[in-house]
Amino acid sequence: MSGPVNGESGVGSNGGSSVDSSAESTAEPGAARFDLVGLGECMVELYAAEPLGQAPALRRSYGGDVLNSLVAASRAGVRTGFITRVGDDPFGESLLAAWREEGVDTGCAPKVHGENGVYFISVAEDGEREFTYRRAGTPASAITPGDLDAAYIGGARCLLLSGITQALSDSARQATLAAARIAREAGVQVAYDPNYRPRLWEARGGLAAARAAWLELMPYVDIVLPSFPADVELLPPEAGVSPAPAAGGAGMALRRFGAQCPQVALKCGADGCRLLFHGMASEVPGVRGVKVVDSTGAGDAWNGVFLTRLLDGAPPLQAAQDANAAAAATLAHRGAIPPKPATMGTDPRSGSMAPA
Ligand SMILES: O=C(O)C(=O)C[C@H](O)[C@H](O)COP(=O)(O)O
């Protein structure tokens, strides 16, 4: 299965399933219960306009890469579900309520005993974010393959996985792999954002462990959604290629990711993104003139809208343009998830999305 990046719908397959209208698809879009389900952890999010150590008060929201993408996808009009575990502390119920309010199904997000993770956002002058985590031993990080419901995953058209979930614990890494296998078996497309977070991998074997987690998952991945240059580090070293992530630029990175997966969408921050779908390369410039308040969640919104548009049948180029607009809208707000009305129009299927 192949198609030009700016031509026919481009969600193909890495030797397995497909969610587009092509003949290989085993799951009829109409028959699926969900369009997009994701596995991960959502945390309580705390941030302030001032440097964290000087802020007299912090604002509370919530965020977690996969969940952020599901919210963006849900707002863009597809049916979503979140697979996780939620702590029964004072935040648990409000997390579940917030996700439901966004239209994200919580049927596979049981409330269990324990404390939910927390993360703090520090923002540099240019809007670039840094996270401080309090998430060791959280209920979500203790998820195991035994927590997965094969029918839930099999009832979706696409499954979104993340390297952050793999970094949480050994059982969460195994659950990520098990979910991918279930999806492959059921003919469900697998999308994967490697989202390399060195700080999360520190206690678990560092880059070598992160790379091993990436390598074990890739055979099941139909579409990979890395960021440049951060995620380039995960690629196995190549003879003659400098190990510096930015060496060779985004073009070289795209080629190297393309050697691992037939469909690559490489997010390049302010420069937009590059696509490599079945050998067809393309570049989509970012939205110009955006004042970056906080870059948190931009990549996740990008993933959610890109996948939504592909699931809608849009060509990858169009999907990427809409995803760039959604990411730009996110940059204008503090926190991972921007306020609902400011993000996009009420009828997302009717055309383009409007940045705030
Ligand atoms: O770091 C984690 O574990 C989280 O999930 C918290 C954040 O909400 C996302 O990381 C934001 O992701 P970006 O879209 O890449 O800014």
Side-chain angles (χ1 to χ4, degrees), residues 11-354:
V11 183
S13 169
N14 197 3
S17 63
S18 166
V19 296
D20 67 6
S21 53
S22 65
E24 276 180 50
S25 181
T26 55
E28 283 300 317
R33 184 174 165 216
F34 298 110
D35 298 298
L36 181 67
V37 297
L39 166 68
E41 172 172 44
C42 178
M43 296 164 285
V44 174
E45 174 187 84
L46 296 171
Y47 61 90
E50 307 89 346
L52 280 178
Q54 291 153 29
L58 299 174
R59 289 193 68 86
R60 175 181 61 85
S61 184
Y62 61 93
D65 65 338
V66 170
L67 186 272
N68 303 339
S69 298
L70 293 174
V71 168
S74 187
R75 289 181 182 186
V78 292
R79 302 161 300 169
T80 61
F82 190 34
I83 303 164
T84 190
R85 298 169 87 237
V86 183
D88 63 354
D89 66 11
F91 298 109
E93 204 46 57
S94 69
L95 288 173
L96 285 162
W99 307 340
R100 288 183 192 126
E101 199 171 311
E102 291 285 357
V104 178
D105 184 80
T106 57
C108 272
K111 208 156 72 166
V112 299
H113 187 59
E115 292 176 354
N116 292 290
V118 180
Y119 78 112
F120 302 85
I121 304 174
S122 310
V123 181
E125 276 195 358
D126 63 357
E128 198 44 56
R129 81 284 190 275
E130 196 186 324
F131 304 131
T132 305
Y133 302 110
R134 299 285 183 275
R135 70 195 301 184
T138 57
S141 68
I143 198 162
T144 72
D147 292 306
L148 302 175
D149 178 343
Y152 195 86
I153 295 171
R157 297 169 63 204
C158 183
L159 170 70
L160 176 60
L161 298 171
S162 154
I164 289 182
T165 317
Q166 293 177 299
L168 297 180
S169 70
D170 212 42
S171 73
R173 180 189 56 73
Q174 287 165 11
T176 304
L177 183 59
R181 286 186 170 140
I182 291 168
R184 171 57 56 90
E185 187 76 10
V188 175
Q189 182 94 1
V190 176
Y192 173 50
D193 186 339
N195 243 339
Y196 178 47
R197 296 278 190 272
R199 196 162 286 177
L200 289 179
W201 284 102
E202 259 168 27
R204 302 203 42 243
L207 178 58
R211 196 174 274 157
W214 147 276
L215 284 174
E216 75 176 4
L217 199 67
M218 281 315 289
Y220 301 94
V221 175
D222 298 294
I223 174 164
V224 69
L225 306 159
S227 293
F228 179 81
D231 292 337
V232 178
E233 294 220 45
L234 293 169
L235 291 166
E238 224 177 282
V241 176
S242 160
M252 163 84 89
L254 189 71
R255 181 190 66 69
R256 294 181 65 202
F257 280 112
Q260 310 262 331
C261 186
Q263 300 180 113
V264 185
L266 183 67
K267 291 163 282 178
C268 303
D271 292 333
C273 65
R274 287 171 182 249
L275 306 176
L276 185 55
F277 272 53
H278 304 287
M280 302 289 292
S282 176
E283 217 173 308
V284 185
V287 177
R288 292 283 155 223
V290 178
K291 168 146 176 42
V292 183
V293 173
D294 176 358
S295 64
T296 305
D300 302 332
W302 198 98
N303 292 345
V305 169
F306 185 65
L307 294 174
T308 295
R309 292 291 175 251
L310 292 185
L311 287 162
D312 276 348
L317 205 59
Q318 175 68 50
Q321 279 160 359
D322 290 348
N324 280 355
T330 305
L331 295 172
H333 299 273
R334 287 193 188 280
I337 299 176
K340 206 171 184 176
T343 312
M344 50 193 81
T346 48
D347 182 9
R349 285 167 189 265
S350 68
S352 63
M353 296 179 303

